[in-house]
């Protein structure tokens, strides 16, 4: 539906005197949803435009990062809807395996219970109950923000359809030998009691200890250093470089492993760096990924020394100790035996932590399920290299390639109860059967299903096509896949984007899941600091929406959105955006009260004043500019362009310049009223995707039509009038320069001053009445004395300031300021002329002095000009 087919009523000028977002936003949103504006029809012959929501965790609530991302997506989809596309913004939520299970387990703990008290089936049922009670929170917050999503299509990664998709692709990957089960080193969280993938590990510098331990004795002695002394109980070798002359006599021999009574071999391995430390490393294959690889190359045994809680399970004296307790006890025991060669505390080093609970990760040998990512990652890289998928901004491509070109096999099994259970059954005689969604699992005595569930990112990696009904070949899938664009943060380029690329290309016969990946930065506080509860700078966007309105929050976020760059945001900026919304409201209300209308065609060009032609020319240039910025995902630039066009050009100049015309009445007032109506109509439609609520209220009032949501997106008519633009630009120069002079002389904005305007021979002559009104200039009258003259843009404005300012006092004040500026200049020149000073001073100090000199010279020129303009005392 375009604006021309909308229901229409007689336009009204009735608007409340003030804009009250709380009284407008909720009702407008519900009306949009009830009328089905956001729904998508797969049977439509309109071209498709599809965006999926990055599914928020069902455990969460809408934080400022969500509000930022949703604002950008909503702006894109609202514009495309207005452009005539069949637009689908696909909503939904992620089941968030570990996070959700942790939440429900904490709730159970309050009752003095654990999940094991309930059993698996009852616990999963409890999680579903929690989801039903708490899962609607984000949906309500999305409505508050104005998200134009197709609510009837809302999906959840654990719903029946998406679960079928997960089972289908698991079976397909398994049959293609791209999923396998193997014992390898994984990242283990002793708190969440599950494996996690490499990208779910956060590294930070922690203070620990580095101890150097003497293994063996006499000629068979080697010193190794470690930050994890407790793992020595599982050492099965010491490795040295094959060319290291210091240890060649020991390669192939065995040395004593302290405390254990075991002897372990010395092996030669090219992985060892002979220049680092002592050139020898302890090898613990069951507790270190690099050691595991060495162990595989040398057929070493793997001895696990900790259980899933990171408690020591071997060697009597230390058995039952937590890993950190064991670390201290083992170092003390080694010290008592004289085995400690050196100790360094604190020793700051990078340590992996669980991204969800922040517990220190323990590398652990474990039997897990894996995706063989080699061919999948290669296809994901080639899709970008071949231009099938564009990454925006382009400089982010390097980060993408660095990841997909070096991707390790993906551990997809998790030791949880909440999630998609791995569809593999084991038989009594070692049988392994992978079951597809349309297959019956094997039954009978001794058969059981794998107890693990799949990594959350496995199901969310299917999101662009599973939400459209895959594996069924639905009409929605045919219409809306691939997605037009993915809008997401650069921080999940590896977590989510790479997964979707791999699965989309694999499942959809080489068709990538989206044409463009538009990456944005992270929201930070106004000082550029990361938002964190520990920093006390986290903002609930709902609080700002309550205080300033959703449009103000949205505009602030969009106005800071440069591609791939972090976005600082502070409350003062939201206040400024609230003021902008109020300005739009008040100026439109004024315009409606003074004849602004969209009735009838625009008058022919010959009936338009220069001011009318100027604003129409600027309007069309703004349309073209905004379109170009949208296509380049330059939200900050398009928001800035709209802000300055609306506030500066329409409200501060066109409306003000037209007041004399409106007040005079007559045919020219009707012409300007129609032009102003046209400008407001287009401007409100341009602003709508960013600030949907205030524009809906104003546009429907201005036009009498049903909704701006389904209005036609403005197009550049091609109208340009460079002469009118130059004419009004000169008028602006005159007004701006005289206003600056008035301010310099301390005149109040409303203070009237007699003036003579010499405009003859310039294009400014027809604008004398407007200039006088804007500058509060009275006719010169009898006894007029031109005490100051300002030549600007070919015209001259002469002012009579006698009786308006104390000229002597003003000269005295300016002379004092001039002396201070000249002193500052002399001091700066003195330092910059001192070779000895320049030779010693840091560059930043010299730069500051140069800046001071430039500022002083600027002040001197400004003050001298003010003195010259003052009348003689």
């Amino acid at each position: 539906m375009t604006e021309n087919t909308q229901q229409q009523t007689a336009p009204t000028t009735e608007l409340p005197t003030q804009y009250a977002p709380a009284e407008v936003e909720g009702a407008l949103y519900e009306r949009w949803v009830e009328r089905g504006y956001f729904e998508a029809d797969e049977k439509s012959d309109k071209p498709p435009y599809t965006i999926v929501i990055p599914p928020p965790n069902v455990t969460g609530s809408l934080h400022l990062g969500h509000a930022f991302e949703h604002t950008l997506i909503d702006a894109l989809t609202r514009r495309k809807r207005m452009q005539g596309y069949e637009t689908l913004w696909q909503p939904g939520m992620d089941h968030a395996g570990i996070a959700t299970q942790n939440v429900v387990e904490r709730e159970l703990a309050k009752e003095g219970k654990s999940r094991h008290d309930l059993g698996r089936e009852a616990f999963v049922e409890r999680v579903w109950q929690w989801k039903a009670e708490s899962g609607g929170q984000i949906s309500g917050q999305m409505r508050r923000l104005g998200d134009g999503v197709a609510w009837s299509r809302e999906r959840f990664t654990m719903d029946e359809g998406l679960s079928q998709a997960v089972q289908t692709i698991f079976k397909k990957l398994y049959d293609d030998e791209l999923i396998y089960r193997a014992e390898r080193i994984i990242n283990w969280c002793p708190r969440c009691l599950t494996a996690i993938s490499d990208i779910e590990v956060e590294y930070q510098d922690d203070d620990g200890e580095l101890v150097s331990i003497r293994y063996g004795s006499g000629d068979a002695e080697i010193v190794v250093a470690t930050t994890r002394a407790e793992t020595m109980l599982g050492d099965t070798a010491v490795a040295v470089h094959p060319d290291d002359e210091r240890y060649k006599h020991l390669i192939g021999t065995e040395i004593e492993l302290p405390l254990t009574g075991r002897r372990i071999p010395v092996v030669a391995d090219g992985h060892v760096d002979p220049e680092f430390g002592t050139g020898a490393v302890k090898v613990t294959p069951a507790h270190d990924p690099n050691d595991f690889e060495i162990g595989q190359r040398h057929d070493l045994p793997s001895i696990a020394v900790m259980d899933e809680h990171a408690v020591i399970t071997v060697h009597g004296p230390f058995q039952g100790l937590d890993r950190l307790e064991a670390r201290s006890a083992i170092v003390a025991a080694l010290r008592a035996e004289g085995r400690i060669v050196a100790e360094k505390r604190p020793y700051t080093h990078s340590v992996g932590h669980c991204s969800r609970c922040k517990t220190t990760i323990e590398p652990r040998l474990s039997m897990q399920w894996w995706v063989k990512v080699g061919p999948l990652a290669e296809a994901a890289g080639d899709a970008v290299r071949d231009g099938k998928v564009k990454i925006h901004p382009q400089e982010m491509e390097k980060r993408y390639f660095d990841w997909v070109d070096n991707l390790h096999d993906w551990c997809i099994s998790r030791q949880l109860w909440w999630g998609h259970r791995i569809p593999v059954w084991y038989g009594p005689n070692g049988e392994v059967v992978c079951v597809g969604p349309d297959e019956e699992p094997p039954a009978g005595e001794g058969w059981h299903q794998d107890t693990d569930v799949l990594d959350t990112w496995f199901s969310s990696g299917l999101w662009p096509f599973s939400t459209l009904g895959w594996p069924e070949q639905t009409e929605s899938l045919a219409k809306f896949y691939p997605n037009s664009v993915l809008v997401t943060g650069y921080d999940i380029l590896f977590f989510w984007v790479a997964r979707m690329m791999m699965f989309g290309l694999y499942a959809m016969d080489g068709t990538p899941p989206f044409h463009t990946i538009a990456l944005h930065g992270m929201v930070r506080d106004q000082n550029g600091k990361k938002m964190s509860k520990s920093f006390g700078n986290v903002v609930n966007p709902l609080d700002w929406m309550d205080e300033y309105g959703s449009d103000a929050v949205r505009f602030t976020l969009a106005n800071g959105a440069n591609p791939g760059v972090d976005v600082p945001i502070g409350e003062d900026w939201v206040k400024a955006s609230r003021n902008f919304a109020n300005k739009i409201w008040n100026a439109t209300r004024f315009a409606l009260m003074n004849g602004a209308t969209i009735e009838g065609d625009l008058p022919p060009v010959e009936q338009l004043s220069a001011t009318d032609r100027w604003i129409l020319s600027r309007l069309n240039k703004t349309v073209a500019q905004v379109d170009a910025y949208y296509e380049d995902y330059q939200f900050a630039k398009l928001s800035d362009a709209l802000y300055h066009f609306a506030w500066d050009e329409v409200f501060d100049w066109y409306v003000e310049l037209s007041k004399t015309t409106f007040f005079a009445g007559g045919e020219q007032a009707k012409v300007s009223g129609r032009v102003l109506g046209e400008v407001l109509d287009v401007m409100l439609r341009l602003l709508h995707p960013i600030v949907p609520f205030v524009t809906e209220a104003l546009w429907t009032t201005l036009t009498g039509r049903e909704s701006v949501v389904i209005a036609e997106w403005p197009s550049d008519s091609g109208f340009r009038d460079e002469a009118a633009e130059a004419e009004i630009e000169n008028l602006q120069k005159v007004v701006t320069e005289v206003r600056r002079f008035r301010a310099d002389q301390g005149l109040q904005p409303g203070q009237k001053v007699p003036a003579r305007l010499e405009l003859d021979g310039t294009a400014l002559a027809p604008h004398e009445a407007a200039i006088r009104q804007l500058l509060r200039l009275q006719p010169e009258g009898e006894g007029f004395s031109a005490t100051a003259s300002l030549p600007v843009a070919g015209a001259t404005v002469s002012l009579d300031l006698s009786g308006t300012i104390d000229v002597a006092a003003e000269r005295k004040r300016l002379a004092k300021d001039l002396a201070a500026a000249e002193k500052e200049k002399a001091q700066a020149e003195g330092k910059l002329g001192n070779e000895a000073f320049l030779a010693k001073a840091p560059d930043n100090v010299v730069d500051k002095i140069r800046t001071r000199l430039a500022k002083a010279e600027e002040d001197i020129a400004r003050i001298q000009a003010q003195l010259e303009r003052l009348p003689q005392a």
Side-chain angles (χ1 to χ4, degrees):
M1 182 183 291
T2 68
E3 59 163 334
N4 296 323
T5 59
Q6 291 191 37
Q7 298 175 13
Q8 187 166 355
T9 59
T12 174
T13 59
E14 293 298 322
L15 280 173
T17 55
Q18 291 184 322
Y19 178 50
E23 297 174 12
V24 171
E25 294 175 350
L28 285 182
Y29 189 84
E30 290 309 312
R31 188 170 71 191
W32 293 335
V33 173
E34 287 168 7
R35 293 180 177 178
Y37 295 156
F38 305 141
E39 296 302 326
D41 181 5
E42 58 272 0
K43 293 182 173 61
S44 165
D45 58 2
K46 295 178 183 178
Y49 186 80
T50 316
I51 295 181
V52 294
I53 193 172
N57 289 351
V58 69
T59 57
S61 60
L62 194 71
H63 57 63
L64 209 52
H66 286 126
F68 171 57
E69 186 168 77
H70 290 201
T71 294
L72 305 188
I73 298 174
D74 197 41
L76 290 173
T77 53
R78 284 179 183 270
R79 172 175 175 260
K80 284 296 182 181
R81 189 178 294 111
M82 295 171 76
Q83 286 183 314
Y85 286 78
E86 192 62 37
T87 302
L88 170 60
W89 181 9
Q90 174 66 53
M93 283 181 283
D94 192 283
H95 67 279
I98 296 176
T100 304
Q101 180 156 318
N102 283 346
V103 168
V104 178
E105 287 197 79
R106 283 196 295 269
E107 292 297 312
L108 283 174
K110 294 176 184 176
E111 303 170 16
K113 296 178 183 178
S114 74
R115 61 178 161 129
H116 301 284
D117 294 323
L118 273 66
R120 183 167 192 149
E121 189 174 332
F123 176 77
V124 171
E125 180 59 34
R126 180 70 175 262
V127 180
W128 277 107
Q129 290 174 7
W130 178 89
K131 187 261 179 186
E133 294 166 5
S134 304
Q137 184 177 359
I138 282 185
S139 297
Q141 293 166 338
M142 289 168 61
R143 291 168 183 267
R144 282 290 311 278
L145 189 64
D147 287 1
V149 298
W151 285 113
S152 69
R153 294 172 176 262
E154 187 173 12
R155 303 303 297 268
F156 179 54
T157 51
M158 286 281 287
D159 68 27
E160 184 178 350
L162 270 66
S163 295
Q164 183 184 26
V166 168
Q167 195 172 351
T168 299
I169 202 162
F170 187 100
K171 170 72 171 172
K172 181 174 169 59
L173 289 163
Y174 182 87
D175 290 346
D176 288 345
E177 298 183 348
L178 292 172
I179 280 184
Y180 63 94
R181 193 168 184 246
E183 191 175 43
R184 291 187 174 183
I185 293 285
I186 46 89
N187 304 298
W188 182 264
C189 176
R191 160 63 184 79
C192 297
L193 296 179
T194 182
I196 62 174
S197 64
D198 292 343
I199 53 178
E200 293 169 297
V201 178
E202 293 179 348
Y203 288 90
Q204 65 184 49
D205 288 339
D206 287 356
D207 285 340
E209 61 180 351
L210 180 68
V211 293
S212 298
I213 309 168
R214 178 168 50 83
Y215 285 18
S217 59
D219 291 338
E221 177 180 298
I222 296 181
V223 175
V224 299
T226 181
T227 58
R228 301 165 67 216
E230 69 279 7
T231 63
M232 68 162 289
L233 300 176
D235 286 0
T236 56
V238 171
V240 297
H241 193 276
D243 299 329
D244 195 330
E245 294 294 336
R246 294 171 293 177
Y247 303 116
K248 275 198 171 181
H249 67 290
L250 292 176
I251 295 172
T253 68
E254 291 186 342
I255 61 173
E256 178 190 355
L257 177 64
L259 303 181
T260 67
R262 289 192 290 115
R263 293 185 68 80
I264 58 176
V266 178
V267 299
D269 196 280
H271 170 76
V272 179
D273 181 0
E275 302 298 323
F276 185 77
T278 64
V281 297
K282 60 192 287 296
V283 181
T284 321
H287 292 280
D288 183 273
N290 293 323
D291 293 3
F292 177 78
E293 298 296 332
I294 294 174
Q296 293 287 295
R297 288 194 288 271
H298 298 276
D299 199 25
L300 299 173
S302 296
I303 302 174
V305 300
M306 292 179 228
D307 66 12
E308 64 269 24
H309 297 281
V311 171
I312 302 298
T313 58
V314 299
H315 200 67
F318 312 110
Q319 196 167 357
L321 294 179
D322 171 83
R323 55 183 166 169
L324 298 181
E325 296 170 333
R327 184 177 300 171
S328 299
I330 287 170
V331 170
L334 290 167
R335 192 184 298 114
E337 289 191 5
R339 292 283 182 177
I340 299 296
V341 175
E343 298 179 66
K344 184 177 182 181
R345 293 191 190 90
Y347 177 72
T348 303
H349 61 130
S350 182
V351 178
H353 296 260
C354 173
S355 62
R356 289 176 175 82
C357 71
K358 312 308 177 188
T359 300
T360 300
I361 288 301
E362 192 62 46
R364 184 172 187 245
L365 185 63
S366 179
M367 183 69 76
Q368 301 286 344
W369 286 94
W370 304 80
V371 172
K372 187 185 294 181
V373 299
L376 303 175
E378 183 179 3
D382 289 345
V384 175
R385 288 189 174 94
D386 297 345
K388 289 182 182 177
V389 178
K390 294 187 178 354
I391 294 180
H392 187 88
Q394 191 173 359
E395 54 266 27
M396 286 286 181
E397 282 186 3
K398 182 179 183 304
R399 296 179 65 175
Y400 177 78
F401 292 136
D402 286 347
W403 179 256
V404 297
D405 292 347
N406 299 285
L407 203 54
H408 298 296
D409 284 2
W410 172 19
C411 176
I412 55 171
S413 45
R414 299 290 181 267
Q415 290 64 57
L416 303 170
W417 288 356
W418 173 246
H420 296 100
R421 196 162 172 181
I422 288 176
V424 172
W425 270 254
Y426 305 106
N429 300 311
E431 301 97 332
V432 179
V433 177
C434 180
V435 178
D438 299 321
E439 300 170 350
E440 287 295 324
E445 187 176 349
W447 283 93
H448 64 279
Q449 187 178 358
D450 196 301
T451 57
D452 288 352
V453 300
L454 287 163
D455 176 13
T456 297
W457 298 104
F458 190 94
S459 53
S460 60
L462 314 180
W463 193 248
F465 51 94
S466 64
T467 52
L468 297 173
W470 187 91
E472 301 299 324
Q473 297 304 305
T474 64
E475 288 183 293
S476 288
L477 189 65
K479 177 75 174 180
F480 295 114
Y481 187 91
N483 292 186
S484 306
V485 61
L486 173 75
V487 179
T488 192
Y490 63 70
D491 58 316
I492 56 172
L493 181 61
F494 316 130
F495 285 86
W496 189 44
V497 179
R499 310 299 191 209
M500 287 189 290
M501 286 287 284
M502 291 192 295
F503 282 166
L505 289 159
Y506 173 73
M508 301 300 292
D509 299 321
T511 302
F514 16 73
H515 298 302
T516 302
I517 302 168
L519 297 171
H520 59 71
M522 312 304 294
V523 177
R524 297 182 176 271
D525 72 13
Q526 61 190 25
N527 299 312
K529 194 173 184 179
K530 180 181 178 180
M531 288 193 173
S532 165
K533 290 180 181 177
S534 60
F535 296 152
N537 61 351
V538 173
V539 173
N540 183 345
L542 294 177
D543 293 340
W544 280 353
M545 289 184 214
D546 290 341
E547 183 71 20
Y548 306 110
S550 297
D551 283 335
V553 175
R554 289 172 61 115
F555 191 82
T556 305
L557 291 165
N559 204 32
N562 290 297
V565 179
D566 287 346
V567 183
I569 184 171
E571 189 168 5
D572 286 346
W573 304 339
V574 183
K575 289 179 183 177
S577 296
R578 185 267 317 272
N579 294 343
F580 179 49
N582 288 341
K583 183 75 170 180
I584 298 170
W585 182 273
N586 293 334
T588 303
R589 183 171 177 273
F590 169 84
L592 288 169
M593 293 170 62
N594 286 276
T597 180
I598 64 162
E599 296 300 312
D601 295 332
L602 273 175
V605 173
E606 57 271 17
Q607 292 183 20
L608 302 179
S609 69
T611 308
D612 296 334
R613 286 182 278 114
W614 161 73
I615 197 62
L616 291 173
S617 183
R618 291 295 308 133
L619 176 68
N620 279 286
K621 285 185 178 180
T622 301
V623 171
Q625 189 178 42
V626 167
D627 276 335
Y629 286 146
Y630 262 116
E631 295 305 314
D632 200 33
Y633 304 99
Q634 297 279 0
F635 294 97
K637 289 183 178 179
L638 73 88
S639 299
D640 191 62
L642 286 169
Y643 176 91
H644 287 293
F645 175 72
W647 193 307
D648 298 347
E649 297 186 288
V650 178
F651 303 146
D652 279 0
W653 286 106
Y654 184 74
V655 169
E656 292 300 318
L657 287 169
S658 300
K659 280 181 178 178
T660 52
T661 304
F662 288 139
F663 296 158
E667 285 304 312
Q668 195 56 48
K670 292 180 181 178
V671 169
S672 292
R674 179 64 187 88
V675 170
L676 181 53
E678 181 77 10
V679 171
L680 291 175
D681 169 25
V682 173
M683 183 195 76
L684 291 170
R685 283 186 278 151
L686 288 174
L687 281 164
H688 173 72
I690 305 292
V691 285
F693 294 108
V694 68
T695 51
E696 172 80 342
L698 294 174
W699 189 85
T700 52
T701 301
L702 171 69
T703 66
R705 295 194 173 109
E706 182 182 340
S707 176
V708 71
V709 176
I710 52 173
E712 188 176 311
W713 181 253
S715 59
D716 175 8
S717 71
F719 177 78
R720 301 287 190 274
D721 193 325
E722 302 298 337
E725 288 196 43
E727 182 175 326
I728 301 304
E729 184 180 344
N730 283 335
L731 182 151
Q732 291 170 326
K733 287 178 182 177
V734 170
V735 173
T736 301
E737 184 62 25
V738 175
R739 279 177 175 167
R740 184 182 297 117
F741 176 75
R742 287 177 57 115
D744 287 344
Q745 306 311 316
L747 296 176
Q748 295 300 313
Q751 189 172 350
K752 294 182 178 179
V753 178
R756 176 188 301 136
L757 272 58
E758 299 174 40
L759 308 177
D760 291 345
T762 74
L764 296 175
H767 302 288
E768 179 168 353
I771 292 172
R772 285 189 178 277
Q773 179 180 319
L774 290 170
L775 291 172
R776 303 294 189 269
L777 301 180
Q778 295 176 318
E780 47 193 283
E782 189 175 343
F784 175 83
S785 173
T787 56
S789 294
L790 286 77
V792 188
T796 301
V797 178
S798 301
L799 305 173
D800 184 354
L801 299 180
S802 57
T804 59
I805 60 171
D806 185 334
V807 176
E810 185 65 13
R811 281 190 176 278
K812 186 176 180 181
R813 182 184 70 80
L814 289 173
K816 184 179 178 181
D817 291 346
L818 181 61
E822 287 173 337
K823 182 179 179 182
E824 176 74 3
K825 177 187 176 185
Q827 289 176 342
E829 286 177 335
K831 287 184 177 180
L832 294 174
N834 185 333
E835 294 297 334
F837 170 79
L838 293 176
K840 294 179 182 179
D843 290 345
N844 65 317
V845 173
V846 176
D847 287 343
K848 283 182 180 179
I849 294 171
R850 289 195 177 111
T851 301
R852 283 170 50 194
L853 175 61
K855 176 67 166 53
E857 289 174 339
E858 182 182 308
D859 287 344
I860 290 169
R862 176 179 54 80
I863 296 168
Q864 287 175 337
Q866 288 177 240
L867 283 167
E868 288 173 5
R869 290 170 177 168
L870 277 176
Q872 297 300 314

